[in-house]
Amino acid sequence: VKTFSMPQDEKLSEIFYLDKGTYYLEISDSKSNYYLYDLKISNINVGWITNTDGTMSYYDMNGKIVKDAWLEGYDGEIRYVNANGIMVTNQFVCDGTYTYFLQADGSPMKDRLTYHPDGVHVIYFDEYGHEVFSDFAHVKRSIAGNAVDDYCFFDVNGYLYVDVVTYDKEGKNLY
């Protein structure tokens, strides 16, 4: 229930957002005085909205669709909306520095080994959702999801080294 109380001859300007539904406006005055009211109601989308085709879009506080931007999702995870304003799902996206795989809910895959789309190679996304390239990573779960404590190297393509001998970053220890 949204209630306003104001002294006589004062103007009230209030913006608030309501969920879909039926609402009633009640104006009461214990003294039976008459006042002039100007009520404006607009129907604008704000925040994450599910489109008719099941995709999602984000609308700013002015009801304008946000396009080609990284945003915070309803769960605190990052999301990306493309040039058409549609949240990207089930695909790789690069922000200019890092490569992410955005899952079915649009959130980045994190701290996980998975198969590359070629179905042959294994790739890894760190705890921030960044795909690892040309670097070592401390992997805590196997591709099956079991707990492990592995130190793995991923090449320039992001592929896990398997049965390959390599040196550490300092070039001292052979793995």
Side-chain angles (χ1 to χ4, degrees):
V1 174
K2 191 83 169 167
T3 305
F4 302 100
S5 178
M6 56 189 230
Q8 187 175 359
D9 298 330
E10 212 175 283
K11 290 185 179 183
L12 174 70
S13 177
E14 180 80 16
I15 296 175
F16 55 95
Y17 301 96
L18 302 170
D19 292 329
K20 190 178 197 178
T22 302
Y23 296 89
Y24 300 94
L25 176 65
E26 178 183 311
I27 300 172
S28 62
D29 182 353
S30 61
K31 297 177 186 171
S32 298
N33 291 329
Y34 295 96
Y35 299 98
L36 178 62
Y37 298 97
D38 182 16
L39 177 66
K40 294 180 183 174
I41 298 175
S42 63
N43 181 17
I44 62 170
N45 291 323
V46 175
W48 287 104
I49 304 295
T50 302
N51 301 311
T52 56
D53 63 359
T55 60
M56 293 191 76
S57 296
Y58 187 84
Y59 292 81
D60 67 17
M61 294 307 283
N62 296 314
K64 184 178 177 190
I65 191 168
V66 176
K67 298 178 180 182
D68 192 27
W70 290 91
L71 303 165
E72 184 175 321
Y74 41 86
D75 57 1
E77 293 288 342
I78 61 169
R79 300 294 195 284
Y80 177 72
V81 290
N82 65 20
N84 296 319
I86 305 298
M87 181 175 67
V88 174
T89 61
N90 296 318
Q91 68 184 48
F92 289 88
V93 175
C94 181
D95 67 3
T97 303
Y98 299 107
T99 300
Y100 301 87
F101 182 78
L102 302 178
Q103 303 172 103
D105 69 352
S107 68
M109 184 177 286
K110 290 183 173 184
D111 196 23
R112 184 165 168 196
L113 287 171
T114 189
Y115 283 100
H116 184 274
D118 67 11
V120 176
H121 297 96
V122 174
I123 58 177
Y124 178 71
F125 294 91
D126 68 15
E127 64 271 15
Y128 305 106
H130 306 151
E131 185 174 0
V132 176
F133 294 98
S134 301
D135 204 354
F136 288 90
H138 181 202
V139 177
K140 299 172 196 119
R141 287 186 293 157
S142 71
I143 202 160
N146 302 321
V148 296
D149 186 20
D150 295 335
Y151 193 56
C152 302
F153 185 79
F154 298 86
D155 70 15
V156 69
N157 296 306
Y159 302 158
L160 172 68
Y161 267 21
V162 178
D163 296 328
V164 176
V165 176
T166 189
Y167 282 96
D168 64 4
K169 287 184 176 185
E170 291 79 33
K172 295 179 183 176
N173 299 311
L174 191 59
Y175 293 107

